[in-house]
Amino acid sequence: MEKLELTPPPAILFALEPLRAMADYVASLAPASQPLPQGDGHPVIVFPGLGVSGYATEGLRERLKELNYEVHDWEQGVNQWPDTEFDGFLDLLSEQLKRIHSQNGRPISLIGWSLGGVYARELAKTHPKLVRQAITLATPFADQPNSTHAGWLFTLLNGGVSPMDEALLRRLSIDPAVPCTSVYSPSDGVVGWAGCVGTESEYHRNIEVDNVSHWGMLHNPEVLRVVARLLAEHRRGTFRTLLDTCVTKLL
């Protein structure tokens, strides 16, 4: 894939984020233009973005429950990057993953919004047998901290020093060996869309959604349709045909 320029979104998009996010939320209140596929009951964990807790993802989780999924919050409160060693924090998140898998006996779908998608991808790498797929929403896993408008908050929450060194950034850009989808918007006002795009492969696919704000990713009807289609797919393994079929149905 051609290397993309990693730059922050235009300032005007960042300034309009609150208004556009409100529009995305209002759009989510309207009746669906077409029925969403019902799920098969498999478990799903939803990870929130930087600086917010599971309260921010509650609307998405409720909608997925209505589609017949066993949906879980990440159970770690406000997401402000771990105050411990990164792999130690992943071990903590793994405890919930293992517990839910033990109770349900089925692979788990992981959905992460923004920074939360980083955890979803890393858990998929360390526990591929427990993970059905990883879906990230506006997650800049291939980005640099200074290529987002959230970089200052990220640094502030970590004592004025960015916790992202070059080795960690390279690690985060590597895709899991399980089905993985990055949903991104070119009009994202917080993170640069180019940092949300990975190399397409047997396991990884990028899906663009138009005119969606960063904060509105959790509410926008088109994003919900994409997520619902991906969760409803039963095949676990090679992802190319699966995702091509999914996108064709959405068009």
Side-chain angles (χ1 to χ4, degrees), residues 4 6 15 46 51 56 60 83 89-90 97 112-114 116 119 149-150 178 194 210 216 229 237-238 242 244:
L4 300 172
L6 303 178
V46 182
L60 175 61
D83 56 6
F89 183 69
L90 287 180
L97 184 70
W113 171 49
S114 196
Y119 306 138
H149 288 302
V178 302
D210 294 327
R229 293 286 188 186
T238 301
L242 180 159
D244 286 342

Side-chain angles (χ1 to χ4, degrees), residues 39-92:
D40 60 359
H42 79 262
V44 178
I45 302 176
V46 182
F47 299 84
L50 176 66
V52 298
S53 68
Y55 179 76
T57 65
E58 185 176 6
L60 175 61
R61 286 187 282 117
E62 288 302 316
R63 286 175 172 80
L64 296 182
K65 287 178 183 177
E66 292 171 359
L67 294 178
N68 190 37
Y69 293 102
E70 178 190 304
V71 189
H72 302 264
D73 175 42
W74 81 317
E75 299 181 350
Q76 298 299 318
V78 176
N79 183 0
Q80 56 182 22
W81 193 254
D83 56 6
T84 59
E85 191 264 335
F86 184 62
D87 284 310
F89 183 69
L90 287 180
D91 288 341
L92 178 63

Side-chain angles (χ1 to χ4, degrees), residues 162-196:
S162 174
M164 295 284 197
D165 59 25
E166 288 298 324
L168 182 56
L169 289 169
R170 286 194 299 271
R171 167 182 168 177
L172 298 183
S173 68
I174 299 173
D175 295 325
V178 302
C180 184
T181 308
S182 173
V183 182
Y184 71 96
S185 171
S187 61
D188 191 312
V190 177
V191 304
W193 68 268
C196 303

Side-chain angles (χ1 to χ4, degrees), residues 138 154 221:
F154 194 43

